[in-house]
Amino acid sequence: MQLPPDESEAILEPGLTTVILAPPGGGNIVPVGDGTLSEPGRYAILCFIPTGIAPQEYLDAVAATGEPPESELPPHFVHGMMGEIIVTE
Ligand SMILES: [Cu+2]
């Protein structure tokens, strides 16, 4: 996860399946994909919201531009906001 984006993307499987987020206090953030993990396998869940930025401010910027804003701040996942899901048949 410490690799630059072009290097980390090169080692990841192509075709991100889904991203579903829920901000603190409830509600949903528009997911990418339909939320279904239809293929067996190991999935990583990582929060890329930069540490120290108000989550809603970040999400509003994503909603407005369709892209995450540039940030030099470390993402939440470096503080443990990450997990793994194993999908079996
Ligand atoms: Cu987070």
Side-chain angles (χ1 to χ4, degrees):
M1 297 314 300
Q2 296 177 350
L3 294 173
D6 57 333
E7 291 182 39
S8 63
E9 290 169 6
I11 62 172
L12 295 174
E13 290 288 324
L16 178 64
T17 299
T18 186
V19 175
I20 300 173
L21 301 172
N28 289 318
I29 299 165
V30 177
V32 175
D34 67 1
T36 302
L37 299 174
S38 58
E39 294 293 324
R42 293 173 64 211
Y43 293 84
I45 301 172
L46 305 164
C47 180
F48 285 89
I49 295 176
T51 303
I53 292 180
Q56 192 59 55
E57 184 178 309
Y58 178 87
L59 297 171
D60 288 347
V62 172
T65 65
E67 296 286 332
E70 294 284 327
S71 176
E72 298 293 320
L73 298 169
H76 288 181
F77 71 77
V78 303
H79 301 291
M81 197 170 180
M82 55 187 281
E84 177 183 18
I85 294 175
I86 297 176
V87 176
T88 59
E89 290 188 48

